[in-house]
Amino acid sequence: MTTVEEVLFSINQQFTPSKRIVRMELADALNMFLAEDLLLPEKQNIYNHANFATYETTLKRGTLLRAYELGILHKLDIEQVNVYKAVEVCIQPVYTHLYPTKPIISPIIKSLIKDFNGVNTSMEPMLIMESPDVDLQIKNLIDRCDIIMLTGYDHHQLIPKFEQFGIKFIINKISQTPGEKTLIGFHDHKIVFFLPEEQTGALISAEIYGRAAILKSLGKTFQLTKATSASNYENNTSYTHFSIGRYSVFDKDVIVNFQQKVDEIILTDYANANCYVRILPKSTVVKGSMVEIIPFIGN
């Protein structure tokens, strides 16, 4: 059984995303990250004959190319730029004839992570385990994608098929609830998540560990936020509990109210929540004590 800290450490150490550089047309570089330093001389106003110095500015490597930056580059007649290739994140729903209900969590997860800059997010067509082409589909998925998240019922049966293409699953269970049955595998510049069958567990693992992998790909770090608890909670288990709650900011203080029963979280509970609250194993939270929260990606 792997702890939450060990999972985050493994993602940081085992996942080595490729920082590929591609040259793109300026119009296609919106919300991409610049892969070079650009010295940009400011053009003088041809109608102003005053004697003044021409200013220069630098767009540094790693700059997010927003519409403003593209406007500057367009004004200077720059037609192409070097950018870091977008991180390819694929959500792969899996279907088996043993479970007639198709997974619904995949489009929710795609919606959560689609707005990361420098990331392309796609939801793949349903992968049917009984299909004769399943091996080829998996190989194509691994070849194309940097981060893969699989959802569904009984989908863990596909692990040997991923292993034959070099994916090594070093995380088999996580001592947390919801989301214990999360499996994570690595190979070269790839990371594969088999998300739990339970919907809330899949959602939590995607938001926490999927986000950590995406941030690592973008050269950023995953961090938890300190908050003051407005709720009481007792965790007598050896598992980390992830509850959902709502935080507010008063002056510079972050205050959070959160749900008491993690085993009863359902999707409708998320309507009034905006964060996860982490409750450590064998710990008691009282009002006024400090806890760690993870704001939802949308927040």
Side-chain angles (χ1 to χ4, degrees):
M1 191 76 73
T2 310
T3 67
V4 173
E5 293 83 0
E6 290 169 338
V7 176
L8 292 172
F9 180 81
S10 293
I11 292 173
N12 192 49
Q13 295 297 313
Q14 300 288 335
F15 181 41
T16 54
S18 173
K19 296 293 285 184
R20 289 165 290 177
I21 295 174
V22 294
R23 192 156 186 82
M24 298 186 67
E25 297 295 326
L26 189 62
D28 298 325
L30 182 65
N31 293 330
M32 303 291 286
F33 291 95
L34 191 64
E36 58 183 333
D37 292 331
L38 289 179
L39 183 64
L40 309 176
E42 182 179 305
K43 290 185 177 180
Q44 292 185 356
N45 188 333
I46 61 175
Y47 301 105
N48 186 345
H49 299 288
N51 185 18
F52 62 89
T54 299
Y55 292 97
E56 293 181 337
T57 186
T58 300
L59 281 184
K60 293 192 175 295
R61 180 174 55 186
T63 299
L64 176 66
L65 295 175
R66 305 166 299 172
Y68 314 105
E69 285 78 16
L70 294 189
I72 295 171
L73 298 174
H74 178 72
K75 184 179 179 182
L76 295 172
D77 299 322
I78 294 175
E79 297 179 354
Q80 294 182 329
V81 289
N82 289 328
V83 296
Y84 291 110
K85 188 177 184 302
V87 180
E88 297 292 338
V89 180
C90 293
I91 317 300
Q92 178 63 74
V94 177
Y95 175 76
T96 172
H97 298 318
L98 296 176
Y99 290 86
T101 304
K102 295 186 178 182
I104 65 167
I105 203 69
S106 295
I108 298 176
I109 294 172
K110 181 192 173 185
S111 297
L112 285 173
I113 62 179
K114 68 180 178 63
D115 291 329
F116 278 98
N117 294 313
V119 175
N120 289 335
T121 305
S122 63
M123 191 175 81
E124 299 300 305
M126 190 74 68
L127 191 154
I128 301 174
M129 284 202 284
E130 292 83 2
S131 168
D133 298 326
V134 66
D135 286 33
L136 180 60
Q137 289 177 272
I138 290 172
K139 183 181 185 303
N140 290 337
L141 189 66
I142 294 172
D143 288 344
R144 288 187 295 107
C145 307
D146 304 298
I147 299 172
I148 302 169
M149 300 185 195
L150 292 100
T151 67
Y153 305 99
D154 245 11
H155 57 317
H156 291 174
Q157 292 182 14
L158 290 175
I159 287 175
K161 295 186 178 295
F162 277 81
E163 290 176 329
Q164 71 180 342
F165 296 114
I167 305 296
K168 295 181 179 178
F169 289 89
I170 65 173
I171 295 169
N172 295 317
K173 275 190 178 182
I174 307 174
S175 57
Q176 70 177 57
T177 185
E180 174 189 3
K181 295 179 180 179
T182 300
L183 286 78
I184 307 176
F186 304 87
H187 176 58
D188 290 341
H189 307 300
K190 315 283 184 176
I191 184 168
V192 177
F193 296 90
F194 275 81
L195 300 175
E197 295 179 0
E198 54 172 323
Q199 293 176 357
T200 53
L203 201 54
I204 286 173
S205 289
E207 281 227 51
I208 296 174
Y209 306 121
R211 182 191 331 198
I214 292 170
L215 292 177
K216 176 72 184 292
S217 299
L218 298 175
K220 301 178 181 180
T221 56
F222 175 84
Q223 294 180 322
L224 285 78
T225 301
K226 296 285 187 181
T228 302
S229 174
S231 304
N232 297 317
Y233 193 103
E234 189 169 356
N235 180 3
N236 293 320
T237 74
S238 58
Y239 281 54
T240 293
H241 285 185
F242 283 108
S243 183
I244 59 172
R246 186 165 191 85
Y247 73 88
S248 303
V249 180
F250 299 94
D251 194 8
K252 295 183 179 181
D253 295 325
V254 182
I255 312 295
V256 62
N257 284 281
F258 54 97
Q259 187 167 307
Q260 306 297 306
K261 298 288 187 181
V262 294
D263 292 334
E264 297 175 4
I265 297 177
I266 56 176
L267 286 179
T268 51
D269 292 332
Y270 283 78
N272 295 314
N274 61 6
C275 69
Y276 296 106
V277 182
R278 180 188 181 194
I279 303 102
L280 297 174
K282 302 291 184 182
S283 66
T284 300
V285 175
V286 297
K287 292 181 180 179
S289 61
M290 299 301 294
V291 292
E292 291 178 312
I293 67 170
I294 305 167
F296 291 169
I297 289 174
N299 294 93

